[in-house]
Amino acid sequence: MTDLNTLGLAEARDALRAGSTTSKELTEACLKAIEDAGVLNAFAHHTPEIAMEQAAAADARIAVGDAPEMCGLPIGIKDLFCTKGVPSQAGSRILEGFLPEYESTVSGNLLGSGAVMLGKLNMDEFAMGSSNETSVYGNAINPWKVDERQLTPGGSSGGSAAAVAADLCLAATGTDTGGSIRQPAAFTGTVGIKPTYGRCSRWGVVAFASSLDQAGPMTKSVRDAAIMLETMCGYDPKDSTSADLAVPNFEALMTGDIRGKKIGLPKEYRMDGMPAEIDKLWADGADMLRDAGAEIVDISLPHTKYALPAYYVIAPAEASSNLARYDGVRYGHRATLDAGDGITEMYEKTRAEGFGPEVQRRVMIGTYVLSAGFYDAYYNRARRVRTLIKKDFEDVFATGVNAILTPATPSSAFGLGEMTDVDPVQMYLNDVFTVTVNMAGLPGISVPVGLDSKGLPMGLQLIGRPWEEGDLLSSAYALEKAAGFVAKPTKWW
């Protein structure tokens, strides 16, 4: 077999079980691809020795018939996940040199099943960004290219998206606080699913906004997403928000038979100024699902217009609280002090040096909205709006709607630097279609459906009922089959 790194999880899993390749061969192919694609800057920390040791152990397990679904499959881990003995910086200078003494539950689940860790993937600092341009490692680059411009792979899971799209790994972990799995997936022609809040443990994942953060897989197909998600999920008593629910066999539930299912189209997502290509993509996606047997119905989510401003109150508020722990005392970066400096100066200098401008901006916003004079006017009001957004979805699902179809992003991938030099709000608008899902704690998936006029991938989002990832994956599989998206970036690196 050639070009083993281009395989998806399902193909590689079946090849390993059939004995037509080995985990060592798969891992070597990925390590070579990573080496050749250094310009993409997708990986922040490389772990080739660890990967080859894990591959050898996986081959030994497979040889004796002990082969869980992810056994022997080489993947990348987003730098937000703490990995024992391996640098885990969350894309930030302030965690420089941090080597965790523990493994996050999600990465532990994957490694325990025999998955092979190729390294840690680039990301926006503390997951705060939509373009991977706030990373201390420098930005990852989208492998899709249409002219001389370098394009964003999206954010914050930009390194994960770029690595999967460029076949540097078979799949990768991501996290999603306001769209950080689904937006990069749409920008790179890959699949990304954010499961229901509480489905994956947050223990050992560096916190951004604790009531919104959720881990999920980024893969080359919907089937691969089902395979990886099952291993990532599970109840974890170390996470108080982890759901004590059995994890179903998502792959088995993924029949693709959506005959008789109701798919909703929310009228509020038809926004002024939306590009005609996105609108057409959405209409085409609805037609595909209709042709597959689904009933397409118009629905209303009336509080959608308040979701983005409410999100950008709640998320920074929680970030302000979570990031207070980074003080230079116990781990990570500590500023050099002048004679006479005390602990207050040490805190101030360390945080000023350690946090980038976007993180500082959000910490200040969060601190402001939590302050005594503004807590009720901003934070509490945003929480009430969040409750209304959640109720909108509950009311729609109560009518028998199985899933909701929307655009994943308001455009295809934009050029690096194009958004950073303008009002930050323009960057925040990239999350306009995705933040409602996090606010309501629902599962959402981005599926690549077509190319725009420039030849760049565009994705559609399906939003599912809580805890119904199997049903959502089945609908996504039907959309994937109907779209027949097989385009890959032309290798220029």
Side-chain angles (χ1 to χ4, degrees):
M1 300 179 71
T2 57
D3 298 325
L4 292 171
N5 56 298
T6 65
L7 297 177
L9 294 179
E11 299 165 293
R13 173 198 63 185
D14 296 344
L16 287 170
R17 291 179 177 179
S20 55
T21 190
T22 64
S23 179
K24 180 174 180 288
E25 291 170 337
L26 281 168
T27 302
E28 287 174 339
C30 289
L31 291 173
K32 175 66 167 60
I34 293 167
E35 184 181 344
D36 292 345
V39 68
L40 297 181
N41 200 28
F43 278 83
H45 302 287
H46 300 263
T47 57
E49 297 86 2
I50 292 173
M52 292 310 297
E53 288 174 11
Q54 292 172 341
D59 283 333
R61 290 180 71 173
I62 293 167
V64 297
D66 173 26
E69 292 296 294
M70 292 294 295
C71 191
L73 302 176
I75 63 171
I77 303 291
K78 185 178 180 179
D79 195 37
L80 204 65
F81 293 81
C82 290
T83 44
K84 187 174 182 179
V86 176
S88 304
Q89 283 187 235
S92 180
R93 185 185 181 195
I94 206 160
L95 279 172
E96 193 172 41
F98 176 52
L99 298 175
E101 294 294 326
Y102 52 89
E103 191 78 34
S104 79
T105 298
V106 165
S107 58
N109 288 347
L110 290 164
L111 298 178
S113 75
V116 174
M117 181 177 71
L118 297 165
K120 302 297 286 295
L121 291 157
N122 202 348
M123 56 172 283
D124 280 297
E125 184 181 7
F126 281 103
M128 298 181 196
S130 300
S131 64
N132 216 137
E133 292 174 278
T134 69
S135 171
V136 72
Y137 314 119
N139 52 268
I141 296 171
N142 195 327
W144 290 82
K145 201 170 186 179
V146 291
D147 49 34
E148 293 309 306
R149 289 183 311 154
Q150 291 183 338
L151 302 176
T152 178
S156 65
S157 306
S160 299
V164 174
D167 293 320
L168 311 188
C169 55
L170 305 194
T173 64
T175 62
D176 194 309
T177 304
S180 287
I181 286 174
R182 291 159 290 152
Q183 184 247 30
F187 279 0
T188 56
T190 56
V191 173
I193 181 170
K194 182 206 89 73
T196 310
Y197 182 80
R199 180 64 94 175
C200 288
S201 171
R202 292 183 300 107
W203 193 85
V205 181
V206 177
F208 165 12
S210 299
S211 74
L212 300 163
D213 299 342
Q214 193 62 192
M218 303 185 73
T219 61
K220 300 177 185 180
S221 71
V222 174
R223 182 174 299 280
D224 289 356
I227 292 168
M228 189 170 177
L229 181 62
E230 184 177 346
T231 301
M232 293 174 69
C233 291
Y235 173 63
D236 180 9
K238 297 191 293 293
D239 175 6
S240 63
T241 62
S242 176
D244 191 1
L245 295 172
V247 179
N249 183 334
F250 293 127
E251 188 181 11
L253 293 172
M254 201 184 68
T255 63
D257 184 0
I258 59 170
R259 288 174 295 182
K261 289 190 176 180
K262 290 174 70 173
I263 307 292
L265 302 182
K267 64 181 182 180
E268 289 79 12
Y269 281 59
R270 299 190 186 282
M271 298 183 172
D272 292 340
M274 189 162 73
E277 286 182 311
I278 297 293
D279 199 34
K280 183 179 185 304
L281 183 81
W282 190 12
D284 290 347
D287 289 341
M288 292 174 197
L289 294 174
R290 184 183 290 109
D291 292 343
E295 179 188 354
I296 306 300
V297 296
D298 291 323
I299 61 169
S300 177
L301 298 168
H303 293 94
T304 293
K305 62 183 176 182
Y306 305 117
L308 203 63
Y311 172 86
Y312 276 102
V313 170
I314 291 172
E318 295 186 11
S320 170
S321 177
N322 278 324
L323 270 59
R325 71 192 68 171
Y326 302 109
D327 52 18
V329 174
R330 290 156 292 182
Y331 48 77
H333 175 76
R334 179 186 294 184
T336 301
L337 302 181
D338 298 325
D341 281 348
I343 192 166
T344 300
E345 289 78 15
M346 191 270 285
Y347 287 159
E348 290 174 348
K349 289 182 178 181
T350 294
R351 288 168 67 83
E353 290 179 9
F355 291 146
E358 181 61 31
V359 172
Q360 291 184 27
R361 178 186 293 119
R362 298 200 196 192
V363 167
M364 288 190 289
I365 291 170
T367 304
Y368 177 82
V369 301
L370 289 176
S371 60
F374 302 100
Y375 188 91
D376 283 332
Y378 291 101
Y379 184 63
N380 269 344
R381 181 172 293 182
R383 289 173 63 202
R384 289 194 291 272
V385 169
R386 181 179 186 173
T387 300
L388 295 173
I389 291 167
K390 187 170 184 288
K391 188 174 186 305
D392 284 349
F393 283 104
E394 290 171 351
D395 291 346
V396 165
F397 289 131
T399 66
V401 168
N402 297 89
I404 298 167
L405 180 71
T406 78
T409 57
S411 70
S412 58
F414 51 87
L416 290 165
E418 286 182 11
M419 293 281 194
T420 50
D421 297 331
V422 298
D423 183 349
V425 173
Q426 295 303 310
M427 184 75 82
Y428 299 163
L429 287 171
N430 272 281
D431 300 330
V432 68
F433 297 128
T434 52
V435 294
T436 53
V437 178
N438 300 81
M439 296 284 271
L442 299 171
I445 186 169
S446 177
V447 179
V449 172
L451 300 174
D452 70 1
S453 59
K454 295 173 289 188
L456 295 176
M458 300 187 294
L460 287 176
Q461 174 180 229
L462 280 163
I463 304 167
R465 297 170 297 185
W467 315 115
E468 294 288 348
E469 288 85 0
D471 191 49
L472 178 64
L473 285 159
S474 193
S475 297
Y477 183 49
L479 180 61
E480 179 185 58
K481 285 196 301 181
F485 184 91
V486 294
K488 297 285 289 185
T490 302
K491 188 172 179 181
W492 55 266
W493 54 91

